[in-house]
Amino acid sequence: MKEKGEKIVCLTAYDYCLARILDESGIDILLVGDSLGSVVQGHDSTLPVTVDDVIYHTKAVVRGRRRALVVSDMPFMTFQLGVDEAKRNAGRLVQEGGAESVKLEGGVTQAATIEGLVKMGVPVMGHVGLTPQSVHQFGGYRIQGRGEADARAILDDAMAVEQAGAFAVVLEGMPVQLAREITQRVSIPTIGIGAGMHCDGQILVVHDMLGLFDDFTPKFVKRYANLKETIGGAVRSYMEEVRTEAFPAEEHTFH
Ligand SMILES: Nc1nc(=O)c2c([nH]1)NC[C@@H]1CN(c3ccc(C(=O)N[C@@H](CCC(=O)O)C(=O)O)cc3)CN21
Ligand SMILES: CC(C)C(=O)C(=O)O
Ligand SMILES: [Mg+2]
């Protein structure tokens, strides 16, 4: 798709119903993201998410998908402790969860781990730039790569990820020019989030683009629907009808 200039369209998914809607709509990749920590679990970071959480959600997503590629995120502490530990956890995501591939955050420092997973037969997606599992090191969710040295380091990360054998790389939270340069310099597809228009594909957290989640709204999110309002309206109609005995009506009643 990169060679043909066809954009790769990705969204996160965490459950059966939504995975099925996205798959039937023609989404290329479903990511079971550790962002489930914020949108499913209500935490203010992704750090509390466990590999068992991601396995649980991956199983549900896989049941709802027919054709999209399923990528499962490796949570904090499931791959940083060493290649063997990473292999064990990636293996569980594939074997128990049913994912076809995994994603992990980091570039140069995680290259040996990516290589180990690829060698054991697990396709890996990289993730560089604003890597949310490093939120405390960044001092918040800040755009990365604004200075020249930082930009160079992120380019090095992306190239290390490619060299290690990853099949694609997420570019998160960086200036558009840097994402463009990386996209030109690596042969694997780049999937952007908050990284501008020049990436080979795009990803968003599905709750953000559907208007279900509004604890925070980063600048890079576009709302394609306002489901929070739609759902609230439906619930208010239901309450009104139960209270006025308009529901259940004759057609909902057994005799
Ligand atoms: N619902 C949701 N969507 C996400 O995109 C997401 C999560 N959760 N949880 C994990 C991380 C956290 N993310 C975030 C959260 C906030 C900003 C944010 O507010 N960024 C500022 C950038 C300010 C700057 O440095 O210029 C912005 O205005 O976009 C960015 C990424 C991305 N990930
Ligand atoms: C937004 C994507 C790239 C992600 O890592 C997640 O959803 O956890
Ligand atoms: Mg993630």
Side-chain angles (χ1 to χ4, degrees), residues 34-35 38-39 45-46 130 132 141-144 146 172 193 205 207-208 213 216-221:
D34 60 353
S35 52
S38 63
V39 299
S45 79
T46 59
L130 194 179
Y141 297 114
R142 303 239 166 84
I143 298 306
Q144 300 296 304
R146 281 206 160 114
E172 177 164 358
I193 173 166
V205 170
H207 291 61
D208 293 343
F213 179 86
F216 53 80
T217 309
K219 178 186 161 104
F220 58 78
V221 170

Side-chain angles (χ1 to χ4, degrees), residues 12 14 31 33-35 73 103 105 127 170 172 193 203 205:
T12 66
Y14 316 98
L31 171 70
D34 60 353
S35 52
D73 234 352
K103 179 170 78 58
E105 296 181 9
H127 183 164
V170 169
E172 177 164 358
I193 173 166
I203 187 162
V205 170

Side-chain angles (χ1 to χ4, degrees), residues 9-13 22 27 29-31 202-206 209:
V9 194
C10 320
L11 281 172
T12 66
L22 305 185
I27 282 286
I29 295 180
L30 296 174
L31 171 70
Q202 296 290 330
I203 187 162
L204 282 174
V205 170
V206 71
M209 59 88 71

Side-chain angles (χ1 to χ4, degrees), residues 110-122:
Q110 300 304 329
T113 299
I114 294 172
E115 202 175 318
L117 297 186
V118 172
K119 278 189 179 147
M120 90 181 229
V122 176

Side-chain angles (χ1 to χ4, degrees), residues 50-52 54-55 72-75 77-99 102 104 113-114 116-122 124:
T50 67
V51 70
D52 290 298
V54 178
I55 290 169
S72 289
D73 234 352
M74 296 196 72
M77 293 278 284
T78 68
F79 63 91
Q80 295 92 340
L81 304 184
V83 181
D84 287 349
E85 189 76 6
K87 284 179 171 172
R88 195 168 295 115
N89 287 313
R92 289 191 64 200
L93 291 166
V94 171
Q95 185 173 54
E96 298 175 41
V102 302
L104 58 88
T113 299
I114 294 172
L117 297 186
V118 172
K119 278 189 179 147
M120 90 181 229
V122 176
V124 177

